[in-house]
Amino acid sequence: MRVYISGKIGEEVISDATRRKFARAEEMLRAKGYDVFNPTDERWQATLRRDYEKEKLSPGSLILEGKFPTFYAYALLRDLMVLATKDAVYFLDDWEASNGANTELSFAMATGIRRLWQSATDAAVYSDDGEKTEDVWLPTAGKEAEP
């Protein structure tokens, strides 16, 4: 299964703490045998920045009218394109504090992408009808067994 990690990033220059949080989730998911996309990956961030600057200089390459999007809007759109190619999205327990992660949840729900959760509470609240919570709750190391 191909899994996208979603959670609060909240900064254009991603902090070490944020990278570690996403890396822990990536490590846990890979240990379970999943193919993982981590949006805080330095190579992905460099690709986003390079493509943004390139397209900003030649906006005719995008099918857009009006103002060119901010880097945040551009990155979110590109992240949604990546998410569309995944089988599931794994939500870190701070996802509700992120406008981007909330958008990714809406997108996943609208397109039928499976949702997995770091938080047992979120798994119980947001799991699909009839789906067992234990099938969608994947705590990272150090998380308590129950909320």
Side-chain angles (χ1 to χ4, degrees):
M1 181 165 33
R2 296 166 306 174
V3 179
Y4 177 100
I5 302 172
S6 180
K8 185 176 186 307
I9 295 173
E11 60 249 354
E12 192 168 317
V13 177
I14 300 171
S15 70
D16 288 339
T18 297
R19 286 189 195 281
R20 284 191 301 273
K21 171 181 67 176
F22 276 77
R24 281 191 303 272
E26 180 179 0
E27 183 179 320
M28 179 276 298
L29 292 165
R30 287 194 190 282
K32 292 184 177 296
Y34 299 134
D35 178 17
V36 181
F37 177 81
N38 178 347
T40 68
D41 179 83
E42 289 182 29
R43 291 168 297 170
W44 173 245
Q45 289 297 312
T47 297
L48 281 176
R49 180 59 67 187
R50 182 196 69 226
D51 291 354
Y52 177 76
E53 294 302 330
K54 179 181 170 186
E55 292 188 44
K56 189 174 180 181
L57 293 174
S58 58
S61 64
L62 290 176
I63 305 170
L64 299 174
E65 293 183 21
K67 69 177 187 163
F68 195 79
T70 64
F71 178 73
Y72 174 77
Y74 180 85
L76 181 58
L77 288 168
R78 292 284 301 270
D79 287 346
L80 290 174
M81 290 174 65
V82 172
L83 176 55
T85 70
K86 305 305 177 203
D87 303 305
V89 55
Y90 179 71
F91 289 94
L92 298 174
D93 59 10
D94 62 358
W95 70 271
E96 287 184 290
S98 167
N99 290 333
N102 276 272
T103 300
E104 290 162 348
L105 173 60
S106 294
F107 183 82
M109 292 173 68
T111 58
I113 295 171
R114 187 168 187 218
R115 282 133 8 240
L116 307 172
W117 305 92
Q118 181 179 34
S119 161
T121 301
D122 288 340
V125 171
Y126 294 101
S127 65
D128 293 335
D129 292 340
E131 194 170 29
K132 295 179 182 175
T133 300
E134 60 268 18
D135 293 339
V136 296
W137 177 47
L138 302 172
T140 56
K143 287 288 177 186
E144 295 181 21
E146 291 296 325

